[in-house]
């Protein structure tokens, strides 16, 4: 589904490379956890995959569903099934949550040549998804993320993910800052969305999340490279020993 | 060139002054004469006049635009009727090129003690009240205000007596037709809310022509003790038109003045809203939104004078400038020496949607008291790039994302309007401007 080959990237208009040759293969149904210290390039990887303009790819390629990913605009990537759950979800005053959700869902449907959902059908559709993240209807009429608590923002990301039904979901530190109850709700939502056709890349700083979402693979990112890969046991090991092999301590934009 | 124009208006004044409404009243003629003298002395403002630093009035000053002295007969009535219907749930005074049309107005159901008439009728039947409340502006330093007073003839006179509440808003619908072309439509409205009364006004400026004409409009608002008055100004003149307007409010103790100004039309626009908080407990809010495209020039000036202690004011103005449009915002808050415990907030935010669009914003806070709470700020910016990417990452294309965020920026001001039909009209104008698919707006939770 996703093949990352020797990916190098830097912040636009800056010289320093943050990703220094990442290679990773993700197949449908798999859950890959990417761990690593602050500044190792985890969030850069997520943002490059989603198409954020602040980063520039300097080398390497990414093949998504058999095609080069990079010519696609961010919205085209989203329409083709890539979803990024933001580390810092953006507050958008004046835009209703339900407006965003419906515009997003219908943009995807339109791109796939499916019929757009009308207001009534959409409401039925979204109410099922709300239950998944234990949110009530009042979330729909609030402005996007405005005045949301940290936990609410992350649940809102999972709600959007549930609504958009992506093929590849990238969770960028979705667990950071969550208390254990909020973490369980988020993890529970993600687990319910796991299926044989959907892949996840879960970026996290903390092993704790992986107690609830058990990954197929764990990779350790350090200094812009994957320095270790293993199965879910690797996460437990890291919990005890810390991030070893952190040979390159140069800080990068996490 | 402009000196020639000033003289042509002085001559015009000589010719028509005895035909103007209420010319039988010496006090009114004296007020007109004094104002004309001020106008003659001041001439048209140029950039040396601080209040007009960013707005050139040459397009108005270079030609003589005669005052329209007759009722218009030839216009498409069905278009006017549909404009009246477009604002449901309100009383409506219709003015065609400045002239009141009893036939097209909707004024049934108003309390009997309320006076609603045009300026001419007020000079005939309510001259004492008119004399008491008309601001004569003899010493004004504003050319256009002086001009307006010199040629007072058309407009509305509304008097809401003490302890009277008017449930539905009263709309003053000013419509320009092709007959307004190359003429001046000079309007003077006097709107009085006596003690403990409550009334909502909508001044709505529209056109059923694309021509160039000049609307010079002044509204005098009087709020007596504990009066509650809402004033909504909707300006959607022809894109070739010049619109210069002033709203001057005087507030007594404990009065509440809510002003909303929504500007979308006109080629050259200057819109002033001023209030004077004259006694303790008075409060005002001023909300404004201006949206300019093409080569439109839209200038808003506001002035809130805190003259007494324990008054409060809130001001929120936003501008959206696209293409080569030029916007100006100048918001002045003056806190007099004795106006202790003043609580004033002023905020102006502007969005520039193109590299050629321009905004000059100048928030001015002048504080002469020492125990006050005042905050102000102005920002000029582009759309939040993070928010744009966030929407894109959800599959919404960049054009649509831009429109959604622009709409949201404007909507925060529109949502402050209490009266739903006005809110909906403003929203529809925005949706139309930014071509947003409205079917996505209808989703409400059930």
């Amino acid at each position: 589904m996703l093949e990352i080959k020797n990916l190098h990237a830097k912040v636009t208009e800056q010289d320093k490379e943050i990703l220094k040759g990442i290679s990773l293969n993700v197949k449908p149904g798999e859950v890959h956890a990417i761990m690593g210290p602050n500044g190792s390039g985890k969030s850069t990887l997520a943002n490059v995959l989603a198409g954020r303009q602040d980063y520039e790819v300097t080398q390497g390629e990414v093949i998504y569903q058999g095609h080069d990913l990079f010519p696609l605009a961010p919205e085209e990537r989203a329409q083709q099934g890539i979803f990024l759950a933001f580390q810092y979800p953006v507050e958008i005053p004046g835009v209703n949550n339900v407006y965003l959700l419906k515009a997003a869902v219908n943009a995807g449907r339109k791109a796939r040549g499916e019929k757009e959902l009308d207001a009534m059908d959409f409401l039925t559709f979204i109410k099922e998804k709300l239950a998944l993240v234990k949110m009530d209807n009042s979330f729909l009429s609030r402005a996007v993320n405005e005045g949301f608590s940290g936990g609410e923002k992350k649940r809102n990301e999972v709600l959007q993910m549930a609504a958009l039904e992506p093929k590849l979901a990238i969770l960028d530190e979705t667990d950071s800052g969550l208390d254990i109850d909020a973490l369980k709700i988020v993890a529970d939502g993600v687990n319910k969305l796991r299926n044989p056709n959907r892949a996840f890349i879960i970026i996290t700083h903390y092993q704790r999340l992986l107690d609830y979402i058990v990954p197929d693979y764990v990779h350790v990112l350090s200094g812009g490279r994957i320095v270790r890969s293993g199965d879910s046991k690797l996460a437990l090991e890291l919990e005890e020993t810390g991030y070893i092999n952190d040979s390159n301590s140069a800080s990068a934009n996490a | 060139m402009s000196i020639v124009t000033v003289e042509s208006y002085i001559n015009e004044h000589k010719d028509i002054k005895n035909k103007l409404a209420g010319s039988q009243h010496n006090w009114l003629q004296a007020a007109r004469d004094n104002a004309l003298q001020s106008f003659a002395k001041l001439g048209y403002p140029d950039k040396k006049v601080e209040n007009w630093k960013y707005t050139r009035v040459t397009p108005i000053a270079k030609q003589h635009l005669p005052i329209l002295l007759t009722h218009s007969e030839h216009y498409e009535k069905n278009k006017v009727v549909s404009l009246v219907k477009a604002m449901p749930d309100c009383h409506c005074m219709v003015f065609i090129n400045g002239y009141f049309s009893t036939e097209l107005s909707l004024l049934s159901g108003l309390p009997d003690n309320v006076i609603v008439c045009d300026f001419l009728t007020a000079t005939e039947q309510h001259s004492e009240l008119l004399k008491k409340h008309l601001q004569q502006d003899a010493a004004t330093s504003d050319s256009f205000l002086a001009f307006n007073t010199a040629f007072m003839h058309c407009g509305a006179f509304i008097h809401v007596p003490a302890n009277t509440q008017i449930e539905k808003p009263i709309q003053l619908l000013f419509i320009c037709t092709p007959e307004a072309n190359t003429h001046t439509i000079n309007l003077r409205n006097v709107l009085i809310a006596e003690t403990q009364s409550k009334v909502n006004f909508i001044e709505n400026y529209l056109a059923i022509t694309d021509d160039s004409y000049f609307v010079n409009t002044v509204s005098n608002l009087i709020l007596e003790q504990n009066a509650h008055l809402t004033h909504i100004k909707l300006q959607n003149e022809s894109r070739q038109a010049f619109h210069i307007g002033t709203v001057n409010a005087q507030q007594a103790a404990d009065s509440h003045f809510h002003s909303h100004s929504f500007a979308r039309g006109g080629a050259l626009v200057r819109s002033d809203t001023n209030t004077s908080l004259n006694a303790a407990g008075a409060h005002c809010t001023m909300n404004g939104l201006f949206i300019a495209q093409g080569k439109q020039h839209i200038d808003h000036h506001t002035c809130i004078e805190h003259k007494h202690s324990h008054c409060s004011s809130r001001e929120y103005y936003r501008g959206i400038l696209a293409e080569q449009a030029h916007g100006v915002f100048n918001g002045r808050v003056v806190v007099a020496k004795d106006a202790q415990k003043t609580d004033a907030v002023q905020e102006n935010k502007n969005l520039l949607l193109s590299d050629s669009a321009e905004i000059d914003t100048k928030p001015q806070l002048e504080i002469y008291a020492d125990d006050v709470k005042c905050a102000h700020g102005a920002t000029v910016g582009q759309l939040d790039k993070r928010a744009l990417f966030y929407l894109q990452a959800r599959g919404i294309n960049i054009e649509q994302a831009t429109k959604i965020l622009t709409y949201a920026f404007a909507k925060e001001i529109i949502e402050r309007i209490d009266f739903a039909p006005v809110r909906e009209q403003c929203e529809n104008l925005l949706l139309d401007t930014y071509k947003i698919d409205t079917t996505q707006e209808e989703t409400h939770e059930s």
Side-chain angles (χ1 to χ4, degrees):
Chain A
M1 169 177 282
L2 184 78
E3 285 175 75
I4 304 173
K5 297 175 187 167
N6 190 32
L7 180 65
H8 292 247
K10 66 182 189 69
V11 176
T12 306
E13 290 170 12
Q14 286 183 18
D15 292 332
K16 208 180 68 192
E17 267 192 348
I18 297 169
L19 301 183
K20 298 172 182 172
I22 289 187
S23 296
L24 183 67
N25 259 327
V26 179
K27 296 194 181 71
E30 292 179 350
V31 175
H32 290 248
I34 296 182
M35 304 185 71
N38 285 331
S40 57
K42 303 189 298 291
S43 281
T44 302
L45 176 61
N47 280 295
V48 165
L49 293 176
R52 191 174 191 137
Q53 298 292 306
D54 302 356
Y55 300 97
E56 189 183 320
V57 173
T58 50
Q59 208 183 318
E61 63 176 344
V62 174
I63 306 296
Y64 172 67
Q65 295 189 311
H67 299 282
D68 184 2
L69 179 69
F70 293 137
L72 300 180
E75 57 265 35
E76 292 170 318
R77 297 180 197 193
Q79 288 159 8
Q80 293 184 22
I82 293 180
F83 180 88
L84 170 65
F86 281 57
Q87 183 181 3
Y88 303 110
V90 182
E91 296 192 8
I92 312 182
V95 177
N96 280 353
N97 225 4
V98 71
Y99 183 95
L100 167 61
L101 285 161
K102 185 161 173 278
V105 166
N106 278 336
R109 294 181 73 93
K110 202 172 165 186
R112 291 189 297 271
E114 297 167 20
K115 191 174 164 286
E116 294 180 42
L117 295 178
D118 66 21
M120 287 310 293
D121 288 344
F122 182 77
L123 216 54
T124 312
F125 168 83
I126 201 67
K127 278 182 178 170
E128 286 170 25
K129 310 293 181 187
L130 276 167
L132 199 71
V133 281
K134 299 187 168 60
M135 289 163 98
D136 62 47
N137 287 352
S138 68
F139 270 86
L140 295 178
S141 51
R142 289 167 67 180
V144 177
N145 294 322
E146 192 188 32
F148 282 31
S149 70
E152 285 175 336
K153 283 183 182 170
K154 298 302 175 78
R155 275 151 73 193
N156 204 23
E157 295 293 288
V158 179
L159 172 66
Q160 291 173 16
M161 178 166 75
L164 290 170
E165 301 172 331
K167 295 191 175 79
L168 172 66
I170 305 159
L171 277 64
D172 187 7
E173 299 206 22
T174 300
D175 55 328
S176 291
L178 295 189
D179 66 25
I180 191 69
D181 295 326
L183 182 79
K184 279 181 183 168
I185 293 171
V186 166
D188 192 38
V190 171
N191 284 329
K192 283 180 183 154
L193 292 171
R194 282 178 80 159
N195 75 35
N197 302 316
R198 182 172 292 147
F200 287 86
I201 296 176
I202 295 177
I203 290 167
T204 180
H205 195 65
Y206 305 101
Q207 185 273 334
R208 187 181 61 164
L209 177 68
L210 306 181
D211 290 341
Y212 298 95
I213 306 172
V214 181
D216 301 303
Y217 302 95
V218 174
H219 311 278
V220 178
L221 195 61
S222 180
R225 292 186 189 89
I226 290 175
V227 291
R228 282 185 78 181
S229 292
D231 59 16
S232 60
K233 293 192 200 85
L234 176 58
L236 295 170
E237 187 188 317
L238 290 171
E239 181 79 353
E240 283 170 22
T241 60
Y243 296 112
I244 45 173
N245 290 331
D246 187 8
S247 54
N248 188 340
S249 61
S251 67
N253 197 352
Chain B
M1 197 150 29
S2 69
I3 292 167
V4 177
T5 317
V6 170
E7 274 173 14
S8 68
Y9 284 112
I10 292 170
N11 291 333
E12 185 179 14
H13 195 264
K14 263 185 217 147
D15 293 343
I16 68 171
K17 116 182 209 197
N18 292 326
K19 294 179 194 155
L20 296 175
S23 55
Q24 70 275 26
H25 298 298
N26 290 335
W27 66 270
L28 194 53
Q29 292 301 67
R32 285 182 175 131
D33 289 343
N34 289 337
L36 188 75
Q37 278 174 27
S38 295
F39 174 66
K41 201 166 72 193
L42 293 163
Y44 288 96
D46 58 24
K47 63 183 170 206
K48 281 177 260 168
V49 179
E50 185 61 28
N51 252 344
W52 289 86
K53 199 170 168 187
Y54 300 108
T55 298
R56 301 281 55 80
V57 299
T58 323
I60 300 172
K62 71 178 182 190
Q63 57 194 321
H64 180 211
L65 302 161
I67 308 280
L68 206 63
L69 270 184
T70 50
H71 276 267
S72 301
E73 297 292 343
H74 309 289
Y75 56 89
E76 293 167 272
K77 283 216 170 64
N78 57 334
K79 282 193 180 171
V80 174
V81 169
S82 67
L83 290 175
V84 173
K85 282 185 183 158
M87 188 77 78
D89 301 324
C90 60
H91 308 284
C92 185
M93 291 182 87
V94 178
F95 296 83
I96 305 295
N97 299 327
Y99 286 86
F100 180 53
S101 163
T102 320
E103 180 201 346
L104 294 165
S105 297
L106 302 170
L107 293 169
S108 59
L110 279 163
D112 290 340
N113 56 351
V114 175
I115 301 168
V116 176
C117 64
D118 67 347
F119 190 88
L120 174 67
T121 309
T123 61
E124 289 164 353
Q125 297 175 15
H126 310 286
S127 63
E128 286 310 307
L129 272 177
L130 181 68
K131 188 180 175 184
K132 183 178 166 196
H133 294 292
L134 181 75
Q135 292 156 16
Q136 301 189 8
D137 315 304
T140 184
S141 58
D142 184 323
S143 309
F144 290 101
L145 184 56
F147 180 99
N148 186 283
T149 303
F151 288 99
M152 285 186 291
H153 180 55
C154 292
F157 179 84
I158 298 175
H159 180 263
V160 183
N163 303 309
T164 304
Q165 274 86 45
I166 302 181
E167 288 301 316
K168 290 192 208 167
I170 302 173
Q171 179 182 207
L172 314 181
L173 183 56
F174 299 104
I175 298 171
C176 281
T177 74
E179 281 180 71
N181 190 17
T182 63
H183 282 82
T184 295
I185 310 299
N186 194 63
L187 302 163
R188 173 64 69 111
N189 304 305
V190 180
L191 312 173
I192 305 139
E194 283 193 349
T195 304
Q196 311 266 26
S197 65
K198 187 180 177 204
V199 59
N200 302 309
F201 294 110
I202 302 162
E203 280 185 31
N204 195 358
Y205 296 86
L206 292 170
I208 50 174
T209 170
D210 299 322
D211 289 337
S212 176
Y213 54 85
F214 172 35
V215 168
N216 182 340
T217 176
V218 173
S219 296
N220 296 152
L221 273 46
I222 290 94
L223 292 83
E224 293 189 349
Q225 270 197 29
N226 210 23
H228 283 63
L229 187 154
T230 300
H231 182 270
I232 302 172
K233 177 174 174 179
L234 306 172
Q235 186 276 107
N236 200 8
E237 305 276 15
S238 143
R239 291 300 166 85
Q240 301 292 322
F242 312 125
H243 177 102
I244 296 203
T246 298
V247 175
N248 278 333
Q250 292 292 336
Q251 293 187 247
D254 301 317
S255 62
H256 280 62
F257 172 45
H258 298 287
S259 157
H260 301 270
S261 179
F262 184 89
R264 178 73 195 88
L268 171 57
V269 175
R270 166 71 179 253
S271 193
D272 290 17
T273 306
N274 308 315
T275 190
S276 183
L277 304 159
N278 296 325
H283 172 79
C284 85
T285 57
M286 285 190 188
N287 300 319
L289 178 65
F290 48 101
I291 296 171
Q293 285 174 312
K295 291 188 168 151
Q296 281 183 291
H297 180 104
I298 300 187
D299 178 346
H300 279 76
H301 273 56
T302 66
C303 182
I304 300 170
E305 286 189 76
H306 284 265
K307 290 190 173 165
H308 204 284
S309 58
H310 296 280
C311 293
S312 55
S313 63
R314 295 287 180 274
E315 179 172 18
Y316 303 96
Y317 263 72
R318 287 191 181 186
I320 303 172
L321 294 314
E323 298 165 3
Q324 290 99 52
H326 187 181
V328 180
F329 174 77
N330 186 305
R332 218 171 137 225
V333 177
V334 185
V335 181
K337 190 161 155 279
D338 298 328
Q340 304 294 3
K341 305 288 178 192
T342 288
D343 177 5
V345 174
Q346 184 196 63
E347 182 195 279
N348 169 235
K349 289 186 179 178
N350 303 288
L351 199 54
L352 295 179
L353 294 178
S354 91
D355 292 340
S356 337
E358 197 181 332
I359 175 85
D360 292 292
T361 174
K362 188 173 167 195
Q364 275 179 284
L365 207 46
E366 296 168 30
I367 304 174
Y368 303 101
D370 50 23
D371 183 14
V372 299
K373 204 166 82 185
C374 295
H376 74 155
T379 61
V380 177
Q382 281 83 37
L383 289 170
D384 181 356
K385 286 206 169 66
R386 294 173 316 134
L388 279 172
F389 177 66
Y390 191 71
L391 294 178
Q392 281 183 283
R394 298 297 173 255
I396 297 164
N397 69 45
I398 185 81
E399 292 80 17
Q400 187 70 6
T402 302
K403 288 171 185 169
I404 289 173
L405 292 179
T406 306
Y407 176 71
F409 177 82
K411 207 174 161 208
E412 283 187 86
I413 294 292
I414 291 172
E415 276 173 352
R416 295 174 182 274
I417 301 172
D418 275 339
F419 185 55
V422 170
R423 217 166 45 228
E424 281 158 22
Q425 269 204 4
C426 291
E427 277 173 12
N428 288 338
L429 252 169
L430 277 177
L431 292 169
D432 188 43
T433 304
Y434 299 111
K435 307 275 185 295
I436 298 173
D437 178 4
T438 52
T439 57
Q440 294 175 343
E441 266 299 278
E442 289 161 9
T443 314
H444 297 292
E445 61 174 305
S446 55

